Amino acid sequence: MIRKIFPKISLNISYLLLILLLAVTGMAMAQGHGPLYGLQTPTLAKGGVDLNVASMSLSTEDETSYMLRYLFSYGITEDLQINLTTPTMIERLGDAPRTRGNSNMPANGDIEASLWYRFFSNAFGVGKRFESTAIVGVSAPTDDVRGQVNVGNSVHAAISTGYASRTWYGWIGGGYQYYFKKGGEQLGDLPYASAVVGYRPNIFMGDYPKPDWRIFIESLAEFPGDNKFEGQMDFTDSRSTKILVGPSFLGLYGAWGISFGAMFPVVQDLTLGAVKERYRLAINLSYWL
Amino acid sequence: MRNIFRIMMIGLFGIGTASGQITKVDQEVYGMDCAPCAYGLERGLKKMDGLQEVRVSLNDGKAYMGLAAENGLKLRSIQEEVKKNGFSAKKAEVTLIGNATKEDGQWYIETANERFSVSQDTPKALLQKLTVGTATISGTVQDEEDDNLSGQWSIVLTKIE
């Protein structure tokens, strides 16, 4: 199984890098300075601008998607941030699992606008702080049908809390995405939770402006609900359970940041018709204006 | 006419000197953990009028600032910039030229824009050296609530020049 997966992953990483390179040559970019997949808390400075481009891939048993995502973020205040993300789909999945790309990027081809509000922040030492952030967002799909189901607009809300220091990081959070009905059909909703632990080794404790690297172990638990069709039985209580775990790396230098990582499913308790995943890959480049 | 102009200029220059200014600030910053955080703070501080040099250290949790010879910069503005970047401004080590006064046994040092109340924690030997009039001093400005900065500070003197 592992031998079957790894050659394909190497190939996909090459694709992702190529796609990212093509995108980078045309624009500046960025994302937060936390985990790649899990919910996080940092918000931009007042008046701060963050541009990101991410290259993402999701592989199921039968097919693999490739997507570029652009994210524009602006700090209205030091605690309030708006985001807008748009996708360029290179390869869509015919039958896409319900998931999110990360805390401010949908995994599927949705355009999303979101608002982050850091409602609690306690900086209590050099480099140390506790903080909590709430996220609300609205999405519009760029595809009409996803897995033979009409795709409607959706809303997303999440909350996360975490600790940051110069050495250790940790975030936990949970979120919920709800798709509206379209043409008598409705994509299943998505409650999810995430937990992330981060560490910066001593070797990367060089002071600013030296490069700054850290590693994260990220985990996601997703509980996608079944799709609903008008005139058919309502399986409201029927949900899949997926737990994914994987490493990610974040490198920062001045105004630039790069993160990359992978997630692998460790639990997939799926309902009938749900799609089995093999892995997720992502690379993200950030630029803080 | 020329003499009147000279007298006016001397008068204006004199007022400027007497009003005083901060010349150096080492500002302690809590909650700053990453390179882009330091970059953002450094860039924000560099945009402020009156700052000549800025260096931000993540490991020290400090922003080191040298101010221009003539500046109207307030410590309050520096701490507000820190807050704007999402961090918390704590104690600051400052050097300033100000006008020292004594009211009801309490020493104050005033710059053009702010007032520093000399803390009772200042060593007595230093307090005895303080005289009314222009003084160049260094000291540690105590932490004030980030949301409630008034431009009134408490300072523990460490040096009088």
Side-chain angles (χ1 to χ4, degrees):
Chain A
M1 175 72 175
I2 289 173
R3 279 182 191 166
K4 278 183 188 172
I5 289 176
F6 280 145
K8 289 192 176 178
I9 288 179
S10 329
L11 192 63
N12 283 344
I13 290 172
S14 309
Y15 270 128
L16 287 175
L17 285 170
L18 180 64
I19 290 166
L20 199 60
L21 189 67
L22 289 172
V24 167
T25 50
M27 65 167 294
M29 50 259 146
Q31 147 95 353
H33 51 276
L36 189 59
Y37 291 99
L39 289 163
Q40 55 182 302
T41 53
T43 47
L44 289 171
K46 184 179 179 181
V49 174
D50 184 15
L51 301 170
N52 289 272
V53 63
S55 180
M56 304 161 112
S57 177
L58 191 155
S59 183
T60 67
E61 282 194 314
D62 303 318
E63 49 187 349
T64 302
S65 71
Y66 298 99
M67 173 176 65
L68 278 173
R69 262 206 178 275
Y70 313 98
L71 171 69
F72 168 84
S73 303
Y74 176 74
I76 299 167
T77 71
E78 63 272 23
D79 297 319
L80 193 64
Q81 175 181 319
I82 51 167
N83 310 285
L84 179 69
T85 174
T86 61
T88 300
M89 297 303 297
I90 311 290
E91 189 74 48
R92 286 184 195 273
L93 292 177
D95 205 0
R98 197 104 49 260
T99 180
R100 288 188 58 80
N102 59 36
S103 46
N104 51 10
M105 291 186 184
N108 299 306
D110 292 351
I111 296 167
E112 184 175 272
S114 63
L115 190 68
W116 287 32
Y117 174 51
R118 188 175 64 162
F119 58 91
F120 170 77
S121 177
N122 179 15
F124 62 95
V126 172
K128 295 176 182 173
R129 63 179 196 272
F130 277 114
E131 58 191 13
S132 302
T133 298
I135 300 168
V136 289
V138 290
S139 300
T142 57
D143 45 358
D144 295 325
V145 175
R146 199 173 291 164
Q148 292 87 52
V149 182
N150 290 334
V151 190
N153 296 327
S154 66
V155 288
H156 170 244
I159 192 163
S160 60
T161 191
Y163 166 78
S165 74
R166 290 284 291 144
T167 311
W168 289 98
Y169 300 83
W171 287 276
I172 53 167
Y176 180 74
Q177 184 137 18
Y178 177 85
Y179 285 86
F180 292 102
K181 206 179 278 186
K182 187 185 174 190
E185 298 177 356
Q186 186 177 24
L187 282 174
D189 58 354
L190 176 70
Y192 69 97
S194 72
V196 180
V197 174
Y199 176 67
R200 184 198 337 257
N202 263 343
I203 194 171
F204 296 122
M205 287 292 278
D207 209 347
Y208 172 79
K210 285 184 180 168
D212 179 350
W213 283 91
R214 61 193 82 168
I215 179 171
F216 297 106
I217 300 296
E218 306 197 31
S219 59
L220 282 174
E222 297 177 336
F223 311 96
D226 279 348
N227 301 326
K228 291 173 188 168
F229 303 92
E230 233 166 46
Q232 289 190 11
M233 275 183 71
D234 189 352
F235 296 102
T236 305
D237 293 332
S238 177
R239 289 187 180 282
S240 299
T241 298
K242 279 187 198 175
I243 298 175
L244 300 101
V245 179
S248 69
F249 303 87
L250 171 63
L252 300 163
Y253 180 70
W256 292 87
I258 181 166
S259 52
F260 49 90
M263 295 287 271
F264 302 95
V266 291
V267 173
Q268 290 197 85
D269 181 8
L270 306 177
T271 57
L272 193 67
V275 183
K276 198 165 188 178
E277 284 186 50
R278 298 197 312 149
Y279 58 82
R280 300 175 190 178
L281 298 175
I283 302 171
N284 187 93
L285 280 170
S286 304
Y287 182 69
W288 287 267
L289 289 175
Chain B
M1 187 65 185
R2 192 174 288 175
N3 285 341
I4 291 170
F5 178 72
R6 277 181 188 159
I7 289 165
M8 281 172 66
M9 289 306 290
I10 290 165
L12 281 172
F13 182 73
I15 289 165
T17 307
S19 57
Q21 62 194 354
I22 301 172
T23 58
K24 183 172 170 287
V25 179
D26 295 346
Q27 176 64 58
E28 195 173 35
V29 179
Y30 276 9
M32 180 173 62
D33 72 293
C34 65
C37 308
Y39 168 80
L41 179 60
E42 186 183 64
R43 202 185 51 171
L45 290 169
K46 277 180 175 170
K47 283 181 185 169
M48 300 179 81
D49 284 337
L51 274 181
Q52 206 162 42
E53 51 179 321
V54 178
R55 184 172 70 84
V56 175
S57 166
L58 281 171
N59 288 345
D60 298 346
K62 280 188 178 176
Y64 300 96
M65 289 158 276
L67 279 68
E70 295 289 325
N71 75 80
L73 201 57
K74 297 181 207 170
L75 181 61
R76 181 178 177 176
S77 306
I78 291 169
Q79 296 208 351
E80 282 170 349
E81 183 61 33
V82 171
K83 184 177 182 292
K84 219 171 83 174
N85 277 270
F87 314 120
S88 182
K90 297 294 177 181
K91 289 179 181 176
E93 286 158 36
V94 302
T95 300
L96 61 86
I97 303 164
N99 187 37
T101 57
K102 197 171 188 183
E103 296 169 20
D104 301 328
Q106 171 64 51
W107 281 102
Y108 295 96
I109 298 168
E110 287 179 72
T111 62
N113 305 308
E114 291 175 302
R115 191 179 213 212
F116 298 80
S117 166
V118 177
S119 166
Q120 296 304 314
D121 293 335
T122 299
K124 280 185 181 162
L126 270 182
L127 279 177
Q128 283 165 3
K129 280 176 70 180
L130 204 55
T131 54
V132 171
T134 302
T136 300
I137 59 102
S138 298
T140 305
V141 176
Q142 304 303 295
D143 178 32
E144 295 288 337
E145 272 299 312
D146 290 344
D147 292 327
N148 195 26
L149 298 177
S150 62
Q152 304 273 336
W153 308 96
S154 172
I155 186 168
V156 178
L157 301 185
T158 53
K159 191 178 173 188
I160 299 172
E161 288 170 21

